[in-house]
Amino acid sequence: MKFLPAYLVLLVCLVTGFLVTAETTGDSASFESVIVEEIVAMPRDVVAHNLGTIGTRMLLVGGLDLSGQILDSCYVLSEDGEWEAFHLNHPSHLTAMVEVNGEVYLIGGYAGKDLSAKVTKLTWKDGKISEEALKNLPEPRTGARVAVLDNVI
C-alpha cells in the first residue's frame, strides 16, 4: 500500500509527541518532504487516545492505559509546555472528537465496557475544562469519524 509508510510515521510521531509536517507534490500520494520536530513528551503511557486542540492548546482525551483500562483522563498542554491533568465524568475510548469555535465535542465511543451514545461538549476557560452533557445519539456509535461544515457537525 502506497500510504502505509507515511501513515505509520505520522502515527508513531503523534504517539510520542512530535509535530509532523509534510508537503505533497501536486495530486501525488507521496510526500516530497517530511519534517519531524519534537514538541513535548506525552503525559503518560496512553494509547488509542484522541489528540486535537481546544482553542490554541493541544488536548489529549481518554484512550487506554498499557493494561487496557479505558481512561477518563483529559490533558491540556499549558503555555509553559507542561500537561495539565483533568478527569472527565466518564471514560472515553474510540470516541469521535471535533473542535467547533473553540469547543470540543466528544461523540459516542466506549464508556467503560459498553458502547456509548453520549455527546459531550468540552470548554476551556480560565485554566479549567468544563464538561456539558448534550442530547445522546439515537444509537451508540464507536470508531466513527466526524466533520464540520460551516460550523455544523
Side-chain angles (χ1 to χ4, degrees):
M1 289 179 57
K2 202 171 194 180
F3 295 103
L4 187 59
Y7 175 77
L8 287 176
V9 167
L10 293 174
L11 178 63
V12 168
C13 290
L14 286 176
V15 168
T16 56
F18 290 89
L19 174 64
V20 177
T21 55
E23 296 179 12
T24 60
T25 54
D27 293 332
S28 172
S30 62
F31 293 117
E32 183 176 300
S33 62
V34 176
I35 301 167
V36 179
E37 175 184 352
E38 185 173 6
I39 52 173
V40 65
M42 299 305 272
R44 57 182 269 188
D45 294 327
V46 178
V47 297
H49 54 270
N50 285 324
L51 185 63
T53 59
I54 187 163
T56 60
R57 297 182 183 246
M58 190 178 297
L59 173 71
L60 185 145
V61 175
L64 302 172
D65 66 13
L66 296 181
S67 71
Q69 179 180 349
I70 297 176
L71 303 172
D72 67 352
S73 56
C74 177
Y75 296 91
V76 177
L77 189 61
S78 69
E79 290 179 3
D80 63 0
E82 298 294 323
W83 289 101
E84 298 177 49
F86 301 91
H87 289 279
L88 302 175
N89 293 330
H90 57 85
S92 176
H93 173 57
L94 294 177
T95 302
M97 183 173 94
V98 66
E99 181 187 23
V100 180
N101 296 324
E103 298 171 325
V104 171
Y105 294 83
L106 305 175
I107 304 167
Y110 281 100
K113 294 182 181 183
D114 299 321
L115 292 178
S116 176
K118 291 181 182 188
V119 178
T120 304
K121 179 173 72 172
L122 303 179
T123 306
W124 176 255
K125 185 176 180 185
D126 299 327
K128 303 255 187 238
I129 285 280
S130 65
E131 184 176 2
E132 178 184 348
L134 303 177
K135 184 178 178 183
N136 281 355
L137 298 170
E139 296 178 5
R141 295 278 185 256
T142 187
R145 301 298 177 255
V146 62
V148 176
L149 181 61
D150 293 329
N151 291 324
V152 176
I153 298 174

